Amino acid sequence: MAWFNQTGAESDVVISSRIRFARNIAGIPFPGRMTDAQRSEVIEKVTKALSPANLETIDMVAKSPLEAQSLVEEHFISPAFAREKAPHTLLLSADRTAAVMIGEEDHVRIQTILPGLSLGEAYKAACTLDDLLDGGAEIAYSEDVGYLTQCPTNLGTAMRASVMLHLPAMTLAGQIGSVARSLSKLGITVRGLYGEGSEAAGALYQVSNSITMGLTEQEILDKLEKVARQLVESERKLRDTLKSDSFARLCDRVMRAFGVMKNAYMLSSEEFLKLWSDVRLGVSLGMITDIDYAKLGGILIAALPATLLLTAGSPEDTPAAERDVLRAKAVREAAA
Amino acid sequence: MAWFNQTGAESDVVISSRIRFARNIAGIPFPGRMTDAQRSEVIEKVTKALSPANLETIDMVAKSPLEAQSLVEEHFISPAFAREKAPHTLLLSADRTAAVMIGEEDHVRIQTILPGLSLGEAYKAACTLDDLLDGGAEIAYSEDVGYLTQCPTNLGTAMRASVMLHLPAMTLAGQIGSVARSLSKLGITVRGLYGEGSEAAGALYQVSNSITMGLTEQEILDKLEKVARQLVESERKLRDTLKSDSFARLCDRVMRAFGVMKNAYMLSSEEFLKLWSDVRLGVSLGMITDIDYAKLGGILIAALPATLLLTAGSPEDTPAAERDVLRAKAVREAAA
């Protein structure tokens, strides 16, 4: 079951944990300069090396833009991978916790995503795939700079560890900006998952290591885990304060959001994310009891533009008003 | 069962029909000049005359201000009757369709209220009580000016016939003002039931005859019934136009109102009436199916300030925020 349909550790604040390794095969140019023949060679080599893992092989060229975009929304592929025109392949585990992009910015991007705060497990799962890859192909590695990657910011461990956090109370309190500035000095990046500007839509944030060199993988994981736990504590304290200081207003806000979510006939993406965030906050405070985190995770993905249209069997150019009707319907049905 | 818990003819637009007769007993001064002894005499005489009707006798002096105000909200007594300090008595039928005020502006005010458009039936029920009164007391009547009443605007038939209408589409279309002006030339008064200003809260209006002299009772009833039927037709046409011209937006509006009504933790009286009106419109258009007019009628009365506090067992001076929490709870429970 995919990360968004499950509940993990610290699920009141942490949505998911993700590990990504970038790898390239020695002796073949980076994807930006590969011929189509070399691309096919890489795809074949990697697919074969990882075959013991029993991943589903998805030829991305055969996928429609809507199908590709839906995979982006599920966090299984990157936007760049969805846009790629040359041959590129996705390997996806049956339980949707592991996804390997072949032919993205690097030859191979191994990714694992687990629900809740579970960096250690996600790292272990990624290592298992990395070991298989290592056994079937010679990986470009230098003693000096570590794993060789197309973009120098990934050199070294070539590992990006990230946690997706739901921080509605910190967002309401206007604390995200200063927290993000402090964390950037520690080599940790905070960015809103949806929307531009200071307030992330849905109060969803991705917190990840910005530095891949000079630290071991374990050091990166430990630092990120520590930061994540601090954010979880701050968010919980603020939620408790909100609850005790303005119970009626907060309860009213989350219950109305729940009522609108279950009844609206039209929902824009922006409004939906606001409602979703309020409802999730309400669940965490025990104010809303007839929906849970796993169901809310499923609703979040179901309501995102491409997944929505794909599920409804509607074309990519469906007008906004119709899309809002479809979104409201999908949300109503999923919340029922 | 009271008018608000039932459904009658044309219930999609007409909430209730009401008849009121003003009567005074010959040889006793009008209430404004009565001694307390004369008041008691009137109360005794009228109660005895109406005893075959098996009405409950309610000594209003023993009622708390909140209980009296709740009876105003249920339309069984007038605000002036609720404020009266001298002895005054209410006779109320077990089925809550007939209410007789003794010691209001006139000695006797006979009132009947039935759900839906049912002026004829309400008139017949009022006449039955009037005949009993006639048999037990000499009523002040003159061949020249008809029934003698304290206020000259009630002379003649001393009958006020009224219908309570729900006109959300005409309100949205901004047509109430011009309709009210036209009707006033015909001797028909239109006034918002709740709230001041141009837009009546809840889109609820009372339409009644302003003239009691120069027409027979039947002529007054026929004219009001005709006007009511015209308003019903206009409202229905506008609702259909709204539905076909902007289905999605209308459906979204009424469904959100329903969602908020069923989930909010705080509801002001003003917001409640807006939601109530939208939900009732949604029921009439078949958009909302899991609530009916009778239930909505009950919710309307339950949410009004005095009835709300009385039911909750809360004091008259309950702060507004607490009242809003109580109202939301009462509405949620009644709508469930």
Side-chain angles (χ1 to χ4, degrees):
Chain A
M1 209 157 49
W3 58 272
F4 45 84
N5 286 320
Q6 283 184 82
T7 307
E10 328 300 346
S11 265
D12 55 332
V13 181
V14 187
I15 311 277
S16 64
S17 300
R18 183 152 61 139
I19 297 291
R20 189 220 67 198
F21 291 157
R23 299 289 184 263
N24 288 280
I25 296 170
I28 302 180
F30 286 133
R33 298 175 178 202
M34 285 196 291
T35 62
D36 276 7
Q38 285 170 324
R39 278 195 168 262
S40 299
E41 185 191 341
V42 168
I43 289 170
E44 204 189 312
K45 218 170 205 155
V46 175
T47 305
K48 199 175 160 203
L50 294 181
S51 63
N54 282 320
L55 307 176
E56 181 191 0
T57 303
I58 298 168
D59 176 10
M60 290 302 296
V61 176
K63 290 282 173 192
S64 71
L66 217 46
E67 288 172 313
Q69 191 53 36
S70 175
L71 288 165
V72 172
E73 290 171 355
E74 294 174 312
H75 297 268
F76 296 136
I77 67 172
S78 64
F81 198 64
R83 282 192 302 270
E84 180 63 65
K85 297 283 176 243
H88 57 305
T89 291
L90 173 69
L91 306 180
L92 193 60
S93 71
D95 67 359
R96 322 272 276 183
T97 60
V100 179
M101 292 185 278
I102 315 175
E104 209 249 17
E105 186 184 290
D106 294 296
H107 291 160
V108 190
R109 288 276 174 105
I110 293 171
Q111 295 174 107
T112 53
I113 317 179
L114 292 174
L117 187 55
S118 46
L119 285 167
E121 280 176 77
Y123 175 71
K124 215 185 285 177
C127 288
T128 303
L129 292 174
D130 194 35
D131 290 346
L132 287 175
L133 185 64
D134 242 354
E138 194 194 334
I139 300 303
Y141 185 85
S142 125
E143 283 302 326
D144 292 339
V145 297
Y147 290 103
L148 300 180
T149 54
Q150 176 148 312
C151 178
T153 60
N154 288 321
L155 289 170
T157 59
M159 179 178 86
R160 183 85 65 218
S162 65
V163 285
M164 195 200 295
L165 300 170
H166 183 225
L167 304 174
M170 291 178 74
T171 302
L172 270 175
Q175 295 189 355
I176 301 290
S178 65
V179 166
R181 279 188 295 278
S182 313
L183 289 177
S184 78
K185 289 170 197 155
L186 300 173
I188 299 285
T189 300
V190 179
R191 65 174 187 87
L193 208 62
Y194 304 109
E196 303 288 316
S198 59
E199 190 172 319
L204 287 167
Y205 300 87
Q206 185 163 290
V207 179
S208 60
N209 64 311
S210 42
I211 293 164
T212 52
M213 271 185 110
L215 291 170
T216 66
E217 290 171 346
Q218 196 55 53
E219 282 166 344
I220 291 171
L221 289 173
D222 289 348
K223 188 158 84 170
L224 187 64
E225 170 117 9
K226 196 175 151 199
V227 164
R229 290 201 179 275
Q230 280 167 352
L231 289 170
V232 166
E233 285 318 307
S234 303
E235 172 66 21
R236 281 181 185 156
K237 258 187 208 146
L238 275 172
R239 288 184 191 178
D240 287 344
T241 307
L242 261 183
K243 188 176 175 178
S244 56
D245 287 3
S246 41
F247 179 85
R249 271 172 54 195
L250 185 63
C251 191
D252 190 47
R253 177 180 168 142
V254 306
M255 293 310 301
R256 279 168 187 258
F258 196 35
V260 172
M261 185 188 262
K262 288 188 298 180
N263 288 277
Y265 187 77
M266 298 177 89
L267 274 181
S268 70
S269 186
E270 194 188 349
E271 186 190 5
F272 163 73
L273 285 167
K274 278 200 185 105
L275 298 174
W276 182 90
S277 177
D278 281 347
V279 170
R280 200 178 200 282
L281 175 61
V283 171
S284 81
L285 294 172
M287 292 169 172
I288 296 174
T289 51
D290 42 356
I291 199 161
D292 59 23
Y293 298 134
K295 209 168 192 178
L296 277 170
I299 292 175
L300 177 67
I301 300 299
L304 292 175
T307 307
L308 178 71
L309 294 179
L310 198 60
T311 309
S314 300
E316 208 183 343
D317 61 354
T318 302
E322 262 178 66
R323 228 161 36 209
D324 289 353
V325 172
L326 289 175
R327 178 175 296 108
K329 186 166 179 275
V331 169
R332 279 199 311 276
E333 288 173 357
Chain B
M1 208 158 49
W3 59 273
F4 45 83
N5 285 320
Q6 283 184 79
T7 306
E10 328 300 346
S11 265
D12 55 332
V13 180
V14 187
I15 310 279
S16 64
S17 300
R18 183 153 61 138
I19 298 292
R20 188 220 70 196
F21 292 156
R23 298 290 184 262
N24 288 281
I25 296 170
I28 303 178
F30 287 133
R33 300 177 179 197
M34 284 195 293
T35 62
D36 275 7
Q38 286 170 322
R39 279 196 166 261
S40 300
E41 186 192 340
V42 167
I43 289 170
E44 206 189 310
K45 218 170 203 154
V46 175
T47 305
K48 201 177 157 201
L50 294 180
S51 64
N54 281 320
L55 306 176
E56 182 191 359
T57 302
I58 300 167
D59 177 10
M60 290 303 296
V61 176
K63 292 280 173 190
S64 71
L66 218 44
E67 288 171 313
Q69 191 52 38
S70 175
L71 287 166
V72 173
E73 291 172 353
E74 293 173 312
H75 297 269
F76 295 139
I77 67 171
S78 64
F81 198 65
R83 284 192 302 270
E84 180 62 65
K85 296 285 175 241
H88 58 305
T89 292
L90 173 69
L91 305 180
L92 193 59
S93 70
D95 67 359
R96 321 270 278 180
T97 59
V100 179
M101 292 186 277
I102 315 176
E104 209 247 17
E105 185 184 290
D106 295 296
H107 291 160
V108 190
R109 288 276 174 106
I110 294 172
Q111 296 176 105
T112 53
I113 317 179
L114 292 174
L117 186 55
S118 47
L119 285 167
E121 280 177 79
Y123 175 71
K124 217 185 284 178
C127 287
T128 302
L129 293 174
D130 194 34
D131 290 345
L132 288 174
L133 184 64
D134 241 352
E138 194 193 337
I139 300 304
Y141 185 84
S142 124
E143 283 302 324
D144 291 340
V145 298
Y147 289 103
L148 300 179
T149 54
Q150 176 149 315
C151 178
T153 60
N154 287 321
L155 289 170
T157 59
M159 178 179 88
R160 185 83 66 217
S162 65
V163 285
M164 195 201 293
L165 300 169
H166 183 226
L167 304 174
M170 290 179 73
T171 303
L172 271 174
Q175 295 189 354
I176 302 290
S178 64
V179 165
R181 278 189 295 279
S182 311
L183 289 177
S184 78
K185 290 170 198 156
L186 299 173
I188 299 284
T189 300
V190 179
R191 65 174 189 87
L193 208 61
Y194 303 110
E196 303 288 316
S198 60
E199 192 173 317
L204 287 167
Y205 300 87
Q206 183 163 291
V207 179
S208 60
N209 62 308
S210 42
I211 293 165
T212 53
M213 270 184 112
L215 290 171
T216 66
E217 291 171 346
Q218 195 56 52
E219 282 166 345
I220 292 170
L221 291 173
D222 288 348
K223 189 158 85 171
L224 186 65
E225 170 119 8
K226 197 175 149 197
V227 164
R229 290 202 180 275
Q230 280 166 353
L231 289 169
V232 167
E233 285 317 307
S234 303
E235 173 67 21
R236 282 182 184 154
K237 260 188 207 144
L238 276 170
R239 288 184 191 177
D240 287 344
T241 307
L242 261 181
K243 188 176 177 179
S244 55
D245 286 4
S246 41
F247 179 85
R249 272 172 54 197
L250 185 63
C251 191
D252 190 48
R253 177 179 170 144
V254 305
M255 293 310 301
R256 280 168 188 258
F258 195 36
V260 172
M261 185 188 263
K262 287 187 299 182
N263 289 277
Y265 187 77
M266 299 178 88
L267 273 182
S268 71
S269 185
E270 194 188 350
E271 185 191 7
F272 162 72
L273 285 167
K274 277 201 187 103
L275 298 173
W276 183 91
S277 177
D278 281 348
V279 170
R280 201 177 199 281
L281 176 61
V283 171
S284 80
L285 294 172
M287 291 167 171
I288 297 174
T289 52
D290 42 356
I291 199 162
D292 57 24
Y293 298 134
K295 210 168 191 177
L296 278 169
I299 293 174
L300 176 67
I301 300 299
L304 292 174
T307 308
L308 177 72
L309 294 178
L310 197 61
T311 309
S314 300
E316 208 183 343
D317 61 352
T318 302
E322 263 178 65
R323 229 161 34 209
D324 289 352
V325 171
L326 289 176
R327 179 175 295 108
K329 186 163 178 277
V331 169
R332 277 200 312 277
E333 289 173 356

